[in-house]
Amino acid sequence: MYAIFEHGGKQYQVKKGQNIKIEKINLNPGENINFYKIIMVIEKEKIKIGQPHVQNTNITGNIIQHGKHKKIKIIKFKRRKHHQKQQGHRQNFTEIKIININTSIL
């Protein structure tokens, strides 16, 4: 069984026991979090698509750690103008382990 949920303007496909990195959440490591904006749930041959979200379904996860992704370089360059700008960015993330996909629809 796997599900697709929405968080922080992005969509994530998850299975039970999977670790994912999502946008930073202000909770401490070891705490549980529930996601309720489930877009789709698939179990073998059964598919349930929400309009816009699947009712009576949630995903439970456990926060493992907080961190930062690898640095990306942002380079702005204007040719023949002697202008160049470099900048770096490291996005914060929260790593979550999916504990369970709770559903009463299938």
Side-chain angles (χ1 to χ4, degrees):
M1 170 194 281
Y2 68 91
I4 298 173
F5 73 96
E6 180 181 354
H7 177 75
K10 297 177 184 166
Q11 296 177 2
Y12 301 93
Q13 178 180 333
V14 294
K15 294 180 186 176
K16 183 177 177 181
Q18 179 181 1
N19 289 358
I20 59 168
K21 293 179 181 178
I22 62 172
E23 298 293 320
K24 186 167 190 296
I25 299 173
N26 290 326
L27 293 175
N28 295 324
E31 292 186 32
N32 287 342
I33 185 167
N34 290 320
F35 301 102
Y36 296 100
K37 293 184 178 180
I38 313 301
I39 298 170
M40 184 167 58
V41 178
I42 298 173
E43 182 177 14
K44 296 182 182 176
E45 301 282 325
K46 299 177 185 175
I47 299 173
K48 180 64 177 177
I49 299 173
Q51 297 171 349
H53 305 295
V54 179
Q55 301 297 321
N56 303 323
T57 303
N58 69 339
I59 295 175
T60 305
N62 187 2
I63 297 178
I64 297 173
Q65 68 174 352
H66 300 291
K68 287 188 171 186
H69 287 287
K70 287 186 174 181
K71 183 177 276 192
I72 60 167
K73 289 184 120 180
I74 302 157
I75 300 172
K76 296 181 180 179
F77 181 78
K78 296 186 191 263
R79 62 185 187 152
R80 298 189 301 269
K81 304 295 181 193
H82 298 289
H83 178 75
Q84 180 178 351
K85 180 181 178 183
Q86 289 189 1
Q87 185 178 3
H89 177 74
R90 292 184 71 189
Q91 183 69 32
N92 293 322
F93 70 84
T94 299
E95 187 173 355
I96 294 179
K97 180 173 181 130
I98 302 300
I99 296 172
N100 197 5
I101 299 173
N102 303 316
T103 181
S104 61
I105 54 151
L106 298 174

